Amino acid sequence: MFSIVQPHTRLTRATLVGVTVVSWLAVTTGTAQAAGGTNLLPNGTFEGSGSGSLAGWSTSNASAALAGDGAGGGYAAQVSASAAGSYKISPSTKPIKLAPVGEAFQATAMVRSDVPGKSVCLQVIESGAVASTTEQCVKTTADWAPLPSVNATVVGAADTLTLQVRQSNGVVGDSFEVDSLSIVDLDTTTPTVPDVRAAAVSSTGIDVTWGASSDSGPSGVKGYSVYRNGSSTAVATLAGTVFHDTNLNPQTTYSYTVVAFDYAKNTSADSTPATATTTARTSTGTNDTWHMDEASGGIMVDSTGSHNGTWSSVTPGVAGDPGFDGTAYHFNGSSSKVTIPNADDLNPMTADVHIAFSMRTSQVPATPDYDLFRKGTSPQQLFKLEFQPNGQVSCGFTGSLGGSTLKAGPALQDGRWHRIECVKTSTKVLLTIDGTTYSKSATIGSISNPANMIVASHGGSEFFPGDLDELSYRIG
């Protein structure tokens, strides 16, 4: 069990400012960041959150306790031999992984002992393709003193490095205290700034390209982070020099900056922003029909061959709507759905939309509803058909000019087949149930989003329990 060792009275005491652990923060716009030289040990000062901690450290042939007389104040780790022989303290997890050949590191530490005069060594250990140990040793005194720093350069490709503080030939009763441990990457050279270009390739896609950066440090450039529209969160991190941005909105301008980084997480300044505007898109007259006649295979086949869907937890081959040939799909109400991947020509823009299908169920949902067919989720532009708790079907659209939902017709949870049709025009929304049409004036505008089409689910909730057959989707 860990304990706190009280300070010892000594005639003199060396003072050292503890190394501050700094995480690799988000890149500051326009400013190169040198992360090399940052302590890679998460708790090298044993301060924890301020009340002392040994988290992140392990011992071998020894016990460890918190000491309240750390170098320069605060806490330290007291390591006591459990048996005769070598004993040590080391990080629980190796702090350096997949290091490139030639990358140079430096380890430092402070040490003292209540049993002075014993040789204690600071060691950096490389493992992987090459096994080697570099060390510096000092005889302990009762006062804090620095261990000689240890410089180690990686020899084997993708090797790991760790450090340890170790006393050889210990006996029970031997101990030492350590504090202010650190290991840093000595590379502080930042890569050059990428030269970035952006070009629209479709109404929903932009290609971002840049010339490779250079870095005179031993590891060279490791990769690039791409930022869109000034966000501090990268939309992509990759090793290459091309990023294909997809699922964008038509006729929209996007801005991109790219930052280069190396193994030590030194980063270049942000590139000059590159902008591009996606092209306009008009409806291509999409006219898809999914007969839902498949007996196996997991694919809901589009009769046009353009937009096949993938089903999961669906039971095919059930008796279908007698008004159509073939069979239908049964959905279990808990995990069944069909996903139709997004495609440019599934977004209706300003064109008319016609959706139709047959449904059969004997259940009504609790709040909010069961989803029958949708593309998009709020606050996106979208369209959706839902089965409401009162047994009615609703048909809703949200576009660039506004949104409108029409809920109408009789309750349909009677276990019989019903034919549903949902239509959007430039001036109204229409809902037809078994041949009876209800309408509502509406100005929707353009509808476009990057979402997949989903049948019988919201995506991960609001699953429809029942049967569906003969789904069609027409634009124009």
Side-chain angles (χ1 to χ4, degrees):
M1 180 176 294
F2 294 146
S3 59
I4 296 179
V5 179
Q6 297 301 317
H8 300 269
T9 302
R10 292 190 292 276
L11 296 176
T12 61
R13 183 173 177 173
T15 301
L16 177 78
V17 177
V19 177
T20 301
V21 178
V22 181
S23 62
W24 187 27
L25 303 178
V27 177
T28 302
T29 302
T31 305
Q33 304 285 309
T38 298
N39 190 0
L40 300 175
L41 299 173
N43 185 30
T45 59
F46 304 102
E47 298 302 311
S49 60
S51 57
S53 174
L54 294 169
W57 293 90
S58 300
T59 58
S60 177
N61 202 33
S63 61
L66 277 175
D69 61 345
Y75 295 92
Q78 184 181 64
V79 186
S80 302
S82 300
S86 173
Y87 68 102
K88 64 183 180 181
I89 186 170
S90 58
S92 302
T93 303
K94 294 179 180 179
I96 299 160
K97 299 176 181 179
L98 302 175
V101 172
E103 198 80 354
F105 297 85
Q106 184 178 80
T108 57
M110 299 287 288
V111 67
R112 66 160 298 276
S113 177
D114 290 333
V115 189
K118 303 294 179 69
S119 179
V120 173
C121 300
L122 175 61
Q123 299 177 325
V124 174
I125 301 166
E126 178 175 347
S127 58
V130 172
S132 68
T133 298
T134 306
E135 68 174 21
Q136 293 282 0
C137 304
V138 69
K139 285 193 175 182
T140 59
T141 68
D143 297 310
W144 284 107
L147 275 155
S149 59
V150 176
N151 292 331
T153 299
V154 176
V155 178
D159 276 2
T160 61
L161 268 70
T162 191
L163 60 76
Q164 61 186 28
V165 181
R166 175 176 178 269
Q167 180 186 331
S168 300
N169 303 318
V171 296
V172 175
D174 281 354
S175 69
F176 60 83
E177 290 181 36
V178 287
D179 197 5
S180 303
L181 287 106
S182 73
I183 187 165
V184 301
D185 193 321
L186 295 177
D187 178 10
T188 58
T189 303
T190 58
T192 60
V193 180
D195 180 19
V196 181
R197 292 172 174 79
V201 294
S202 70
S203 62
T204 60
I206 291 175
D207 281 356
V208 185
T209 60
W210 55 93
S213 295
S214 60
D215 185 351
S216 60
S219 64
V221 176
K222 185 178 182 182
Y224 303 88
S225 295
V226 183
Y227 299 84
R228 183 172 61 202
N229 293 344
S231 172
S232 61
T233 302
V235 294
T237 299
L238 63 169
T241 57
V242 178
F243 169 59
H244 305 287
D245 203 6
T246 59
N247 292 333
L248 303 176
N249 292 320
Q251 291 183 280
T252 304
T253 299
Y254 294 87
S255 175
Y256 300 88
T257 55
V258 178
V259 170
F261 59 90
D262 62 14
Y263 175 83
K265 298 183 181 178
N266 302 305
T267 60
S268 71
D270 286 13
S271 69
T272 300
T275 60
T277 302
T278 51
T279 60
R281 189 189 70 77
T282 57
S283 170
T284 59
T286 295
N287 189 359
D288 297 319
T289 300
W290 298 271
H291 297 298
M292 298 182 166
D293 290 341
E294 299 78 29
S296 61
I299 302 298
M300 185 176 76
V301 177
D302 176 13
S303 62
T304 70
S306 300
H307 303 111
N308 292 341
T310 301
W311 44 265
S312 58
S313 302
V314 169
T315 302
V318 301
D321 184 342
F324 299 92
D325 293 334
T327 56
Y329 288 175
H330 175 72
F331 297 83
N332 63 19
S334 60
S335 59
S336 300
K337 65 179 179 179
V338 180
T339 302
I340 303 167
N342 176 55
D344 207 22
D345 60 350
L346 292 177
N347 288 311
M349 306 302 288
T350 58
D352 292 353
V353 179
H354 184 282
I355 302 164
F357 56 86
S358 298
M359 64 171 283
R360 177 174 61 185
T361 187
S362 57
Q363 299 182 49
V364 291
T367 303
D369 49 61
Y370 293 140
D371 271 42
L372 298 168
F373 185 67
R374 72 160 51 235
K375 188 177 191 298
T377 56
S378 181
Q380 292 176 316
Q381 299 171 8
L382 59 89
F383 56 82
K384 60 182 179 179
L385 283 94
E386 297 171 319
F387 190 43
Q388 300 296 332
N390 67 353
Q392 291 182 311
V393 168
S394 65
C395 169
F397 298 87
T398 300
S400 59
L401 299 180
S404 183
T405 297
L406 175 58
K407 181 174 69 172
L412 303 180
Q413 70 277 17
D414 56 6
R416 297 187 295 175
W417 282 106
H418 298 279
R419 189 66 182 169
I420 314 298
E421 297 179 67
C422 173
V423 176
K424 178 198 76 72
T425 70
S426 60
T427 60
K428 63 181 65 177
V429 175
L430 301 98
L431 178 61
T432 301
I433 310 291
D434 295 332
T436 301
T437 299
Y438 311 85
S439 67
K440 180 180 182 180
S441 296
T443 302
I444 303 299
S446 180
I447 300 176
S448 178
N449 64 57
N452 297 328
M453 281 182 169
I454 305 294
V455 181
S457 170
H458 192 286
S461 61
E462 299 171 32
F463 293 96
F464 169 70
D467 303 329
L468 294 177
D469 195 8
E470 204 67 23
L471 170 64
S472 67
Y473 174 71
R474 185 173 74 244
I475 299 175

